[in-house]
Amino acid sequence: MFAVADARILGVLGGMGPLASAWFMQRLTLLTQAERDQDHIPTMLWSDPRVPDRTAARVAGGEDPLPALVRGIRGLEAAGCGAIAIPCNTAHGWYDGMRAATKLPILHIVDAAGAELQRLGVAGGRIGVMGTAGTLAMRLYQQRLDGLGYECLTPSDAEMQSRVTPAITAVKANKLVESYEPLAEVARSLMARGAKAVVLGCTEIPLGIAAGPALPFPVADTIDALARAAIAWAKP
């Protein structure tokens, strides 16, 4: 492997879930301006689906995922990566612990989502945030976006239990088509409550939304947002 970190090699800490990581790699490639292989970003994907469930750890006293996350970071360090992207929103609940374990910069997916909202022309105001129960319980979006002038609306407990959580589970089971309508319904509900855009704050959710008709309002896809942040890092 590489003896020293190469500032252009991106490390991807994935497997949470595996399909979301694979889709991130595809979007990273498609969003990169390139005319030949050599124009793309050198990338190392560490896809480890054995990482303990992040939501279970946060809301149900499940096994701490941090040791497994740090193990992946160590593998990416050994591969010579210069920065790390994590295509899992809920894993960012352990961001501080991961940052303390490495000198490599870790691109924050919520910051990337904020930049994506700006790119979509949504500079502040009410936004909807969909995500796992763990992400919403940790207030990952509220903590980082409130200071930028955003007011985060989230699904109701009933919507989470009957729509969002089952749809995320369906995506993890490769049942994308059946996840679309529950997710689209909740997104429409957030817009009806006054949101100017909806953040798909779980990397399974964009896959479900992509399985059906495009939504007729601004949507911040956190997979694409993180891919754009990675491209900006690699090709400043």
Side-chain angles (χ1 to χ4, degrees), residues 133-199:
T135 291
L136 301 185
M138 289 184 283
R139 296 180 57 82
L140 296 181
Y141 276 85
Q142 295 91 321
Q143 288 175 359
R144 296 184 85 91
L145 294 186
D146 280 0
L148 299 177
Y150 293 102
E151 177 188 351
C152 297
L153 305 177
T154 59
S156 67
D157 290 343
E159 287 174 326
M160 288 298 299
Q161 293 173 11
S162 66
R163 300 286 187 271
V164 180
T165 299
I168 291 171
T169 300
V171 173
K172 289 181 178 293
N174 296 332
K175 300 175 181 177
L176 275 64
V177 173
E178 69 182 57
S179 70
Y180 171 80
E181 189 51 44
L183 293 171
E185 179 182 333
V186 174
R188 289 191 290 263
S189 173
L190 290 167
M191 293 298 291
R193 289 167 54 191
K196 297 162 63 177
V198 175
V199 176

Side-chain angles (χ1 to χ4, degrees), residues 18-114:
L19 184 58
S21 300
W23 185 245
F24 172 80
M25 295 296 293
Q26 180 171 338
R27 294 302 295 160
L28 179 70
T29 303
L30 290 171
L31 290 171
T32 299
Q33 293 185 1
E35 296 182 359
R36 56 180 187 155
D37 292 350
Q38 291 77 16
D39 294 333
H40 285 278
I41 300 168
T43 307
M44 296 288 181
L45 171 61
W46 181 283
S47 184
D48 187 356
R50 300 170 298 175
V51 176
D53 186 276
R54 283 67 60 200
T55 293
R58 184 57 64 191
V59 305
E63 183 180 354
D64 184 2
L66 184 58
L69 294 169
V70 172
R71 182 172 64 244
I73 288 171
R74 294 282 180 261
L76 293 170
E77 288 175 332
C81 296
I84 295 173
I86 308 170
C88 172
N89 281 265
T90 315
H92 286 71
W94 289 265
Y95 183 82
D96 290 343
M98 291 186 286
R99 282 290 296 115
T102 182
K103 294 182 178 180
L104 298 182
I106 300 176
L107 308 179
H108 201 296
I109 199 167
V110 179
D111 293 344

